[in-house]
Amino acid sequence: MTRGEGRGGGSGAPRSVDVARLAGVSQKTVSRVFNNEPYVSADVRRRVLEAAEELGYRLNNAARALASGRSRSIGVVTLGTALYGPASLLMGVERAVRDTGYTLRVVNTMEGDPAGTGGAVDSLLDQGVDGIVISEPIDDGQDGELATRVDIPVLVLGAPPLSGPKALAAGVGAAAMAHAATQHLLDLGHETVHHVSGPQRWFAARDRVTGWQSALAENGRPVPAPIEGDWSASSGYAAGRELAAVAEMTAVFAANDDMAIGLIRALTEAGRRVPDDVSVVGFDDIPVAAYVTPPLTTVRQPFDVVAQEGIKRLVHLIESPQADPLPASDPPIDLVVRASTAPPPTRTPTGHTRRRRGGPHHPAPDTGTSMHD
């Protein structure tokens, strides 16, 4: 039998009835399998998919869209960047969407693009998507404009939600995670914590500033002026050269791991040892964080957890528009403690700093101790 022929002997493209006949099931069961509906056993699902593959059958998505009024596709607006956080969150969204049986359409935006998020959303609306995910956007001032013209469900990850009954938000918990990172340093005995922030057009960077400031305020500690970076190791290095001249500085929270690594390099070159003289905490837990010198204490972002919950809530709103939205939950906080943090150096009665000796032992590579809240 050649590809494209049904068992009934026809020479046209195979139909769902041909798949049903070969698999020994009803045509309705074939439809349930390809619509990813529940109440189909694993054995029946396997037989249907094997029969479809043998016949070369492909579900006619256009016909299904006409019948259901939905395209079974979800659009994603994401920054066109190789930065670890946005790229990892996009991968989490891709996996979560694939598990739902929907297809994914991605539109990248760039910083400085005058069309920005609004242009990307318009492109997805023209493609007839059933819902849209806006992933870790920057503030381009278009929120109000978007809210007036988007009439399908929208999930915003890592930023304030759009206004409207079909808008959902799934925070990545950056403020709470930054609070935990700062509190870790205060609990070690540091008087205050300096901060190297991300660019303030990014909602993610603003959230980390908020969490850092709130931890200091709650503990009645001074709040130093933050130094703004651009997420790169080179900007962390520049901040480190500036902070190395601050004699009383003993702790720094950097808004991502790349900046923390550049910061440590600058401090080391200036003779400020980490963690003997200065403790450093990063954010993200990039793969190399456990292998730098010293291994970096950081906050691990739960990208997959946030993406899975967010997509589940978005699909629920798409498929059950009259039902109450599914509730959101707070993402877990996972502080990974490694060798870049320690108690501050002690001061002698004369005011001189006495460096700690030895410090905690961490085997190499140090993958860290994970502290969940």
Side-chain angles (χ1 to χ4, degrees):
M1 183 175 66
T2 60
R3 181 173 290 273
E5 291 185 347
R7 281 291 176 93
S11 59
R15 301 167 301 166
S16 62
V17 66
D18 301 317
V19 176
R21 186 180 300 115
L22 180 57
V25 300
S26 68
Q27 193 172 353
K28 178 62 176 176
T29 297
V30 172
S31 176
R32 284 177 175 152
V33 169
F34 279 93
N35 283 310
N36 202 33
E37 295 179 12
Y39 312 118
V40 179
S41 70
D43 178 64
V44 168
R45 189 179 299 275
R46 176 186 56 78
R47 282 159 44 201
V48 169
L49 294 176
E50 288 178 352
E53 183 177 3
E54 181 178 340
L55 293 173
Y57 172 78
R58 295 293 182 268
L59 184 65
N60 188 330
N61 286 321
R64 183 171 68 178
L66 287 172
S68 66
R70 297 200 304 267
S71 65
R72 290 193 68 81
S73 63
I74 291 174
V76 179
V77 178
T78 184
L79 282 168
T81 176
L83 288 170
Y84 180 78
S88 298
L89 188 56
L90 176 60
M91 289 177 60
V93 169
E94 288 178 330
R95 284 190 288 266
V97 170
R98 185 170 61 241
D99 289 345
T100 67
Y102 280 68
T103 58
L104 186 71
R105 300 175 184 179
V106 179
V107 177
N108 289 309
T109 64
M110 299 291 179
E111 287 194 74
D113 179 1
T117 303
V121 168
D122 284 341
S123 173
L124 291 169
L125 292 174
D126 289 343
Q127 296 176 54
V129 297
D130 298 318
I132 292 176
V133 179
I134 300 177
S135 178
E136 284 213 293
I138 60 175
D139 186 357
D140 56 13
Q142 298 188 45
D143 286 358
E145 181 185 352
L146 283 174
T148 64
R149 69 170 186 255
V150 179
D151 59 357
I152 62 174
V154 177
L155 171 69
V156 182
L157 297 175
L162 301 177
S163 60
K166 295 183 179 180
L168 301 171
V172 296
M177 295 173 196
H179 186 288
T182 307
Q183 189 64 52
H184 167 67
L185 291 166
L186 296 178
D187 289 344
L188 287 171
H190 295 275
E191 177 61 24
T192 191
V193 178
H194 291 252
H195 182 47
V196 180
S197 77
Q200 291 303 290
R201 286 189 68 200
W202 290 62
F203 292 106
R206 295 178 189 177
D207 286 344
R208 289 165 216 193
V209 169
T210 297
W212 161 73
Q213 289 176 331
S214 66
L216 294 178
E218 288 170 14
N219 287 271
R221 305 300 175 83
V223 181
I227 300 175
E228 184 173 334
D230 62 9
W231 301 122
S232 69
S234 62
S235 69
Y237 180 85
R241 295 188 63 174
E242 181 177 340
L243 287 170
V246 181
E248 67 276 12
M249 184 270 302
T250 66
V252 185
F253 163 52
N256 77 341
D257 290 344
D258 286 319
M259 292 194 298
I261 291 169
L263 170 79
I264 290 173
R265 172 66 181 269
L267 292 174
T268 302
E269 289 180 357
R272 304 289 296 274
R273 299 190 303 169
V274 177
D276 296 69
D277 302 315
V278 181
S279 289
V280 176
V281 177
F283 198 104
D284 282 337
D285 196 25
I286 62 176
V288 76
Y291 300 91
V292 295
T293 302
L296 182 64
T297 294
T298 185
V299 185
R300 180 179 297 147
Q301 291 212 66
F303 298 111
D304 283 344
V305 173
V306 171
Q308 287 168 5
E309 179 182 282
I311 294 301
K312 179 180 179 181
R313 295 173 61 220
L314 180 66
V315 170
H316 175 78
L317 187 57
I318 292 170
E319 298 183 348
S320 305
Q322 305 305 318
D324 292 334
L326 296 178
S329 60
D330 293 329
I333 297 174
D334 193 1
L335 177 67
V336 184
V337 179
R338 300 193 179 101
S340 68
T341 53
T346 58
R347 293 189 178 274
T348 66
T350 60
H352 294 91
T353 298
R354 178 183 295 130
R355 291 177 174 173
R356 296 179 306 105
R357 293 185 177 274
H361 172 68
H362 293 268
D366 177 19
T367 56
T369 301
S370 184
M371 299 171 62
H372 297 270
D373 284 356

